[in-house]
């Protein structure tokens, strides 16, 4: 959990930087927000997998995926700031895209409008299908979906 909190804190650092809070106040706020997010995810995505992203034996992020009967949902993909922009996110997304294609299921992600990764999702073929205020619901559809039979995707532990 301490590592996952560190990853979460990395996703909020830029947003909190201009606030006139002490480092302790920011850390306390981030810890409360992480606890709330963790509780929300446990309630709404009970079956999701939680994977720690590791590069060269060093943990650098997290990937949370909820595999449902009708879709695969990327709940969260986050990298520590110093590991962003190096291609790791693209590689992970392609793996989940391959899984969705093999399962014949759409891949869904909710993305904040100001998230720099939005362009990456668009390049990979995601399209905005819903507007939820600060978030866009984006989906990627397999090229050919057979709606009568859907193979089961292998579940990564």
């Amino acid at each position: 959990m301490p590592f996952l909190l560190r990853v979460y804190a990395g996703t909020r650092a830029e947003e909190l930087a201009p606030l006139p809070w002490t480092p302790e106040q920011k850390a306390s706020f981030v810890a409360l927000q992480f606890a709330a997010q963790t509780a929300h995810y446990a309630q709404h995505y009970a079956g999701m997998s939680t994977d720690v992203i590791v590069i060269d034996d060093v943990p650098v992020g997290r990937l949370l995926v909820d595999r449902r009967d009708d879709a695969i949902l990327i709940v969260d993909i986050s990298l520590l700031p110093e590991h962003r922009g190096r291609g790791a996110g693209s590689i992970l997304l392609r793996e989940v895209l391959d899984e969705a294609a093999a399962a014949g299921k759409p891949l869904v992600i909710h993305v904040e409008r100001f998230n720099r990764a939005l362009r990456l999702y668009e390049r990979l073929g995601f399209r905005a299908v819903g507007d939820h205020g600060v978030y866009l619901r984006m989906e990627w559809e397999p090229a050919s979906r057979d709606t009568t039979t859907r193979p089961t995707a292998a579940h990564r532990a």
Side-chain angles (χ1 to χ4, degrees), residues 11-93:
T11 68
R12 303 296 302 268
E14 199 173 302
E15 167 188 8
L16 296 177
L19 295 179
W21 297 351
T22 66
E24 294 79 16
Q25 289 172 316
K26 290 178 184 180
S28 178
F29 175 79
V30 166
L32 288 171
Q33 291 292 301
F34 178 69
Q37 182 189 69
T38 301
H40 175 81
Y41 287 171
Q43 180 181 2
H44 295 282
Y45 309 106
M48 80 176 177
S49 65
T50 301
D51 294 308
V52 172
I53 302 165
V54 177
I55 299 174
D56 296 329
D57 297 323
V58 176
V60 300
R62 72 177 186 175
L63 175 64
L64 310 178
V65 178
D66 190 20
R67 293 163 177 89
R68 299 178 174 189
D69 291 338
D70 61 342
I72 297 175
L73 174 63
I74 298 174
V75 177
D76 186 60
I77 180 170
S78 299
L79 296 168
L80 292 170
E82 61 270 23
H83 294 280
R84 295 180 194 149
R86 297 181 182 178
S90 296
I91 291 168
L92 289 166
L93 286 168

